Amino acid sequence: MNPTRFFALAALFIFFMLAPSMRADPTPAERVAEIQKALQAAKLDGWLFYDFRKSDPLAPRILMLGENASGSRRWFYYIPASGEPTKIVHSIERAKLDALPGKRLVYRGWEEQRSHLRETFSKKPLRIAMQYSPMNDIPYISRVDAGTIELVRSFGVEIVTSAELVQQFEAVLTPAQKQSHVEASNKMHRILLEAFAEIARNIRADKPITEYDIQQFIARRLEEEGMARENGIVAVNANTANPHYFPTREANLPIKRGDFVLLDYVSKMRQPGAICTDQTWTGYVGESVPEEFVRIFNIVREARDAATEFVRKNVREGKSIRGAEVDDVSRGVINRAGYAEQFTHRTGHSIGEEGHGNGVNIDNFETRDSRRITPGVCFSIEPGIYLEGKFGVRSEIDVYVGDKDIEVTGQPIQTEIVAILKTP
């Protein structure tokens, strides 16, 4: 073999052996073993999964069942903290859970189904987890209907929320997933700054440019960088006061000198298991930024940074904190500044394979998220002040929680409004 070719192949082999890759998904049996260890650590007797016509989208993901786990009939899958699991399936869909380990109990009518459940929970007392949230505090977890909760409780079972378990198996990133998030965050940061430069280029050339034009510019750049093509938020002036405004080809505003601009985008690398990035930046189409925008931005920035430092300090000190507490810190800054009514959403949300993941949210406003902030999770911090009919300011960063510290990705983060026409 040609020596050059040999060394090239050897280098390629070493690269693929050493380069981080997305986690190979565990088999269903391996996942069950992982769940049993988690149940023992949580001092729970078991975890009951239930689905009816895709009522619980978390179950197939956690159990590694794929897209076809749901059917036209109800199924239950009970994982005890130790011992053999039990699957309860309808006779016409008896193979639905065959990928999972455990004994199979087949029912035809509702009485037979209840008999199997009674048999499964014959050991007393039992304290088990289900996709249930007391008082619906965390609606992302409330996937089991009240009637089914009543049914299971009728067998003398105590039901607790599976919120922390779901976070452990849905929201803790592997090193490779974390790296995919960092890569996407760095690229997103550059693309958003390029979008401001694109606005400047068109304004200086007296070329008409709209919110939609910049939206499509960003979408193209995401695609060119190997990321998912997304149509995010590009808003000017009063539109920036609408947190979920999206321009379309038919409905958009021009971008002109003297306009305030907000960009908010979420995307991820185009590879299996990749984790999203979600960032929001603001700019002003001028050489300098008027004081009315600067003043509001500074309050939002202080709220963002106060929440970030609260998380950082407690993670470094090894203290347990919850998502709701972080929201309180951020919201407190804005409340004290006199804009409580103008901060209309939670401080942040979980980030995973979807822009809004299934881990802890930074929220004590829309919901009361009592989940702990644990190593391996990722979330946004994005306080905002929205002055209806005028403008709105939001500053969004992403935070990854390590074992002893946090990492704010997409550096450098925004510290002042971008003066879009300022000469470099």
Side-chain angles (χ1 to χ4, degrees):
M1 178 184 289
N2 181 294
T4 301
R5 177 177 171 79
F6 171 81
F7 285 115
L9 290 173
L12 191 63
F13 173 78
I14 293 171
F15 171 80
F16 280 109
M17 289 296 291
L18 297 181
S21 59
M22 292 301 132
R23 167 180 52 197
D25 287 337
T27 65
E30 290 170 337
R31 174 48 57 89
V32 167
E34 293 171 352
I35 288 173
Q36 289 186 315
K37 289 181 181 178
L39 289 170
Q40 293 164 18
K43 295 181 170 46
L44 291 173
D45 297 305
W47 190 352
L48 179 62
F49 292 84
Y50 163 77
D51 184 78
F52 177 59
R53 295 176 178 251
K54 299 183 179 180
S55 60
D56 182 8
L58 299 171
R61 291 172 58 141
I62 293 170
L63 296 172
M64 317 306 297
L65 287 173
E67 296 180 357
N68 299 316
S70 192
S72 64
R73 302 297 191 273
R74 292 171 286 179
W75 60 252
F76 295 83
Y77 186 64
Y78 179 61
I79 304 176
S82 60
E84 185 181 28
T86 300
K87 37 194 171 184
I88 300 174
V89 292
H90 194 274
S91 62
I92 68 171
E93 293 179 341
R94 62 182 61 208
K96 183 57 67 175
L97 300 181
D98 277 1
L100 296 169
K103 65 179 179 181
R104 181 173 64 183
L105 301 177
V106 178
Y107 73 92
R108 293 163 297 177
W110 65 268
E111 292 175 312
E112 202 168 12
Q113 178 203 79
R114 293 188 183 184
S115 176
H116 290 328
L117 285 168
R118 185 175 294 105
E119 175 189 344
T120 300
F121 302 128
S122 59
K123 180 183 175 182
K124 301 290 190 307
L126 282 177
R127 186 167 174 263
I128 69 171
M130 292 186 73
Q131 267 73 287
Y132 146 81
S133 179
M135 302 298 291
N136 197 28
D137 276 351
I138 309 174
Y140 308 91
I141 301 299
S142 290
R143 301 296 184 173
V144 182
D145 64 277
T148 300
I149 294 291
E150 291 171 353
L151 173 62
V152 176
R153 282 178 174 162
S154 74
F155 303 118
V157 174
E158 178 187 354
I159 298 173
V160 301
T161 181
S162 63
E164 297 285 6
L165 290 168
V166 168
Q167 173 164 264
Q168 180 176 343
F169 289 99
E170 266 288 293
V172 173
L173 310 187
T174 66
Q177 287 180 311
K178 186 247 184 171
Q179 185 55 42
S180 77
H181 167 73
V182 171
E183 181 181 0
S185 296
N186 291 339
K187 289 184 174 183
M188 179 69 79
H189 171 256
R190 292 197 301 270
I191 291 170
L192 294 183
L193 293 184
E194 288 174 9
F196 287 134
E198 178 70 4
I199 293 172
R201 185 181 68 81
N202 283 272
I203 294 295
R204 291 185 178 121
D206 290 325
K207 181 179 178 182
I209 189 79
T210 69
E211 296 168 326
Y212 181 76
D213 293 331
I214 294 301
Q215 182 195 63
Q216 297 309 299
F217 170 84
I218 295 173
R220 288 192 299 272
R221 287 294 295 118
L222 290 170
E223 190 170 41
E224 291 166 359
E225 291 290 343
M227 300 174 70
R229 184 184 179 105
E230 299 289 348
N231 289 330
I233 298 173
V234 178
V236 302
N237 301 332
N239 285 342
T240 64
N242 177 356
H244 275 184
Y245 168 80
F246 293 86
T248 65
R249 185 190 300 273
E250 297 75 24
N252 60 81
L253 289 179
I255 302 175
K256 309 179 302 297
R257 286 180 182 269
D259 283 349
F260 182 73
V261 182
L262 182 146
L263 309 177
D264 182 350
Y265 265 79
V266 57
S267 185
K268 63 180 180 178
M269 303 307 300
R270 292 198 302 268
Q271 57 194 69
I275 302 302
C276 289
T277 182
D278 196 353
Q279 300 176 34
T280 304
W281 279 64
T282 50
Y284 178 78
V285 187
E287 291 78 14
S288 61
V289 183
E291 176 59 27
E292 64 173 330
F293 300 113
V294 173
R295 184 174 63 84
I296 299 299
F297 176 86
N298 287 344
I299 298 170
V300 170
R301 181 188 61 193
E302 182 185 351
R304 180 199 71 191
D305 294 348
T308 305
E309 289 307 310
F310 178 74
V311 177
R312 178 179 285 114
K313 177 179 182 293
N314 283 281
V315 170
R316 286 177 174 175
E317 294 177 358
K319 295 180 179 178
S320 177
I321 57 173
R322 301 176 186 275
E325 296 176 71
V326 185
D327 184 56
D328 289 344
V329 171
S330 175
R331 196 167 301 279
V333 172
I334 292 177
N335 290 356
R336 288 189 293 274
Y339 291 98
E341 297 299 317
Q342 287 73 42
F343 185 9
T344 56
H345 57 73
R346 61 193 172 191
T347 292
H349 58 81
S350 170
I351 290 177
E353 294 184 42
E354 296 85 18
H356 289 208
N358 292 311
V360 59
N361 297 309
I362 309 306
D363 191 3
N364 195 24
F365 179 68
E366 298 179 43
T367 69
R368 182 170 56 183
D369 202 315
S370 59
R371 285 175 288 185
R372 292 187 297 272
I373 290 176
T374 59
V377 300
C378 185
F379 49 80
S380 71
I381 292 181
E382 48 178 307
I385 294 175
Y386 306 96
L387 306 177
E388 189 174 354
K390 296 180 179 179
F391 66 93
V393 176
R394 182 169 62 257
S395 182
E396 180 178 17
I397 60 173
D398 295 343
V399 173
Y400 171 80
V401 180
D403 290 329
K404 297 181 180 179
D405 207 344
I406 67 170
E407 179 178 345
V408 178
T409 58
Q411 293 287 346
I413 63 174
Q414 186 167 20
T415 57
E416 60 183 11
I417 296 172
V418 175
I420 295 174
L421 298 181
K422 183 178 180 179
T423 304

